[in-house]
Amino acid sequence: MAEMTRKEFLAGAVALTALRPWRMFAAADAVATGAKRPNLRLGVISDVHVRAATGQFGTEHLVKALAWFRDQGVDGVILAGDMADDGLVSQLQLVADAWNAVFPAGSGVEKLFVYGNHDIEGASYNPKLKPAPEELIVTDRAAVWEKVFGEPYEPIWKKTLKGYTFIGAHWVAWKGVPEIERYMQEHAAELRGDRPFFYIQHPHPANTCHGPWAWGHDEGFATRALESFPNAVAISGHSHHPLVDERSVWQGAFTSIGASSLRYIGPMFGRENSGPSQNDDLKQMPVIDKFSEKQGLLVSVYDDGLVLERRDFAHDGKLGDDWIVPLPVGPAAPFRFDVRAAAATPPRFAADARVAVEGPIDGKDRKGRPTRQLVVTFPSALMGEGLTRAYDYEVVAEVEECDVRRVAATKRVYSPGYFNRPEREAKTVKCVFALAELGTRKAGYLSPRVRFRVRAAESFGKMGEAIVSEAIRF
């Protein structure tokens, strides 16, 4: 891992003085000066979704990520599910082949994998597939695991690595793993203490990383199972949310970390250019190119905390400053959402930033239907040292009739490269409105005027000052 300067640490850490600062600074100093190697180093990936050896759903990026982890001297690699995209034994074997090519027998690097929903249910998501029962992992998930990975299968497994405990729970159902509550109670005595232990499952524990609105979290079994362990660190995938989202790390009663995806990014719903929503018929923009990014984590474990390096495996670099996460969790945990939201500073635009409006034009909506549209463009919010990066943008259409101004429509939109490293961020952002979303004009009446008000928001929703377009008639 690249050395981290004291200045970079101070910029990346959040409210560290609220939690026994002498302990946290001890870990940070070890990172900043290189005076101490971590006790443990882990590679963390999820959602590799392998279908073939090569191509868009091939193993190239998996091999690349594993090789990079090897070069960083990891002791183990966590893969938090969704290995075989269609749930086929042959696809899981490709994952094992990639692992064995980088970490052959005797390498000493521990495999810390769990099944996800695609490993068990993937064939049912593709009606064109007609695999024989023996080709399906779900036919005998235990026998397949033991044959492919050469280790015993347990629905909930436990391993020890350099004195640290790892517990993994394989996919059971969309609701989560009910048995984990009983399991944690039965092992409580051996798990309690200051030393962290790691819990791995595919879906996010409910109401933790990425919040209650995250797609695909469980129904609360893991959250209840871990809430009496301030030294617990949950690692999960499933949502594919990018690691530029500050909500990827949550601290409450324990710590929860989202691992993103090594296959493609899953934007939060509700944005004009994000995934499906209840209002899909009104979407005027295509979904952003989510397949161009592959992400994972390098986790360094110290006596008093974790250092999380967020890695861009598609373009070889860091996604931002390292996150310094203190452990065990205390009453003023600095990665609590409320603490971080209160401390967040809103993004801001350059002083000369302007909003431009093109149209009306003859465009097409997301479903290819002809639509009269207005295209709103504006520059990305400022980025750089000491500045808060924008997570998304709010665009408000204000319609004016005589001396009355009303809000006709409000949209949120992502920058096309919001999930990339800052230096790869798009310089210009676009948001498209259908004229029908702004109201209708009656024959014989003067066309109303519309202006657009744009604000940049950080991950927790705090918005900066608006930039506003000139009013135009539509």
Side-chain angles (χ1 to χ4, degrees), residues 316-380:
D316 299 323
K318 294 174 66 166
L319 287 160
D321 292 331
D322 294 349
W323 285 329
I324 316 293
V325 182
L327 293 173
V329 172
F335 278 81
R336 282 176 43 152
F337 279 13
D338 57 347
V339 171
R340 297 175 82 189
T345 56
R348 61 185 178 89
F349 292 103
D352 60 350
R354 297 291 182 267
V355 181
V357 183
E358 178 189 3
I361 64 170
D362 292 320
K364 291 183 179 180
D365 68 11
R366 185 182 294 176
K367 295 186 177 181
R369 297 170 296 197
T371 310
R372 292 285 285 171
Q373 297 173 328
L374 290 176
V375 180
V376 182
T377 58
F378 49 92
S380 297

Side-chain angles (χ1 to χ4, degrees), residues 202-388:
H202 186 54
H204 301 317
N207 300 317
T208 64
C209 59
H210 298 294
W213 44 84
W215 178 84
H217 58 69
D218 73 9
E219 293 185 3
F221 301 111
T223 303
R224 290 191 295 271
L226 298 175
E227 62 187 2
S228 64
F229 298 94
N231 58 325
V233 179
I235 295 178
S236 54
H238 198 36
S239 71
H240 291 236
H241 293 324
L243 291 168
V244 299
D245 187 341
E246 295 288 329
R247 296 167 294 186
S248 298
V249 180
W250 171 95
Q251 285 190 305
F254 57 98
T255 300
S256 182
I257 300 170
S260 192
S261 167
L262 197 65
R263 179 58 56 199
Y264 62 89
I265 294 305
M268 284 272 191
F269 300 155
R271 278 73 178 175
E272 181 67 19
N273 54 351
S274 65
S277 75
Q278 294 177 347
N279 211 21
D280 196 51
D281 285 344
L282 297 177
K283 298 300 181 184
Q284 299 301 307
M285 298 175 65
V287 175
I288 58 177
D289 173 21
K290 59 185 181 180
F291 285 97
S292 63
E293 186 65 1
K294 326 285 182 183
Q295 298 183 0
L297 290 163
L298 178 67
V299 179
S300 297
V301 184
Y302 292 87
D303 289 341
D304 50 6
L306 310 176
V307 177
L308 308 183
E309 179 177 339
R310 298 172 283 162
R311 188 73 181 174
D312 172 356
F313 287 108
H315 307 104
D316 299 323
K318 294 174 66 166
L319 287 160
D321 292 331
D322 294 349
W323 285 329
I324 316 293
V325 182
L327 293 173
V329 172
F335 278 81
R336 282 176 43 152
F337 279 13
D338 57 347
V339 171
R340 297 175 82 189
T345 56
R348 61 185 178 89
F349 292 103
D352 60 350
R354 297 291 182 267
V355 181
V357 183
E358 178 189 3
I361 64 170
D362 292 320
K364 291 183 179 180
D365 68 11
R366 185 182 294 176
K367 295 186 177 181
R369 297 170 296 197
T371 310
R372 292 285 285 171
Q373 297 173 328
L374 290 176
V375 180
V376 182
T377 58
F378 49 92
S380 297
L382 290 169
M383 288 181 288
E385 186 174 346
L387 298 173
T388 301

